[in-house]
Amino acid sequence: MAGDRQPRLLTHPDLGDVELTTVLFALSDPSRLALVRELAAEGPRTVEECRGSEPDVPKSTFSHHLRTLREAGLVTNEPLGRRRVVALRREELEGRFPGLLDAVLGH
Amino acid sequence: MAGDRQPRLLTHPDLGDVELTTVLFALSDPSRLALVRELAAEGPRTVEECRGSEPDVPKSTFSHHLRTLREAGLVTNEPLGRRRVVALRREELEGRFPGLLDAVLGH
DNA sequence: GCCATGGTTCGACTCCTTTGGAATAGTCGT
DNA sequence: ACGACTATTCCAAAGGAGTCGAACCATGGC
């Protein structure tokens, strides 16, 4: 069909193109690391649910952190209705950086 | 004895006090990560030897990176004659963050 | 004691990151 | 089509990190 405009897709990097230093940097912020931990423990969540853990953080700030994680290949961010679902790219990360995520999550 | 002034000791943090995010941040810079890799592969080296890999980097810049690594608990920096020896705190790191260093060095 | 050597610290500059308010865009219900 | 809801992007302000020359400090040799 003609107007098959997708519901606002964000770009996700191929993990093969992501540098280790980029991943480490994304994880080096306490807010972002906490979010990754939460996703690892609870599974995929909407942005709203994620934000529930730290309600004082403005939406734009939170969105920026999500972007940093997404561009580092750590999470996906897909539309679902009028929400968005954030998910950890666990298997892919394990393939690219074996043991890294487990080591980071182990604390 | 009275004037037992030590040969210029730098302070090294107790690894129990070091946050994971601090370690990840220290490792998130390509120059610093390369240095850690080199120390892991070659064992302890003098600052001069370390600097040999990247001769174009000014001494002060290199020293700053060493400081960041040291304050993150990743390396020790001890005087030896008029040189200084830099060493990876491997066993200690393994105790505090099991698997982390191996995962990072695996690439 | 004096000088050369090896390294850190200081200070200044630039760039990037973080932050957050406002504007914008997509989706659902009516 | 309109409004409510969810979330990103835009833009600017403030803070922090990287870079590097110059000053400083400690050690060893003469």
Side-chain angles (χ1 to χ4, degrees):
Chain A
M1 302 135 99
D4 56 349
R5 187 160 24 111
Q6 293 297 91
R8 191 60 177 157
L9 288 204
L10 297 175
T11 66
H12 295 83
D14 182 340
L15 275 197
D17 298 335
V18 174
E19 298 286 339
L20 174 58
T21 50
T22 305
V23 175
L24 294 176
F25 180 79
L27 292 171
S28 73
D29 178 271
S31 324
R32 291 192 296 255
L33 180 58
L35 178 53
V36 167
R37 281 193 212 286
E38 186 178 334
L39 290 172
E42 314 277 349
R45 320 195 74 183
T46 65
V47 172
E48 193 179 25
E49 288 169 332
C50 292
R51 223 157 80 68
S53 343
E54 307 180 58
D56 294 342
V57 178
K59 287 198 296 183
S60 57
T61 300
F62 196 81
S63 201
H64 170 74
H65 284 312
L66 279 181
R67 178 180 188 149
T68 301
L69 288 173
R70 177 172 50 83
E71 291 182 341
L74 280 163
V75 303
T76 56
N77 185 336
E78 309 280 2
L80 177 72
R82 78 182 120 174
R83 320 261 175 103
R84 283 182 167 278
V85 174
V86 181
L88 196 54
R89 298 175 69 175
R90 229 174 169 161
E91 289 77 13
E92 291 174 275
L93 284 163
E94 183 61 22
R96 173 83 164 111
F97 305 111
L100 180 61
L101 207 53
D102 286 340
V104 168
L105 295 175
H107 295 272
Chain B
M1 305 139 95
D4 57 350
R5 186 162 23 107
Q6 293 298 89
R8 190 60 175 159
L9 288 204
L10 297 175
T11 66
H12 295 83
D14 182 341
L15 274 197
D17 299 334
V18 174
E19 298 288 339
L20 175 58
T21 49
T22 306
V23 175
L24 295 176
F25 180 79
L27 291 172
S28 74
D29 178 272
S31 323
R32 291 193 295 256
L33 180 58
L35 179 51
V36 167
R37 280 194 213 285
E38 185 178 334
L39 289 171
E42 313 276 350
R45 321 194 73 182
T46 66
V47 174
E48 194 180 24
E49 287 170 333
C50 292
R51 221 158 80 68
S53 343
E54 307 182 58
D56 294 342
V57 178
K59 288 198 296 185
S60 56
T61 301
F62 196 80
S63 199
H64 171 72
H65 284 312
L66 278 181
R67 179 179 190 150
T68 302
L69 289 172
R70 176 171 51 83
E71 291 181 339
L74 281 163
V75 303
T76 56
N77 185 336
E78 309 279 4
L80 178 71
R82 75 181 123 175
R83 321 259 175 103
R84 284 181 167 278
V85 174
V86 181
L88 196 56
R89 298 175 69 175
R90 232 178 165 156
E91 288 77 13
E92 291 174 276
L93 285 163
E94 183 61 23
R96 174 81 164 111
F97 305 112
L100 179 61
L101 207 52
D102 285 342
V104 169
L105 294 175
H107 296 272

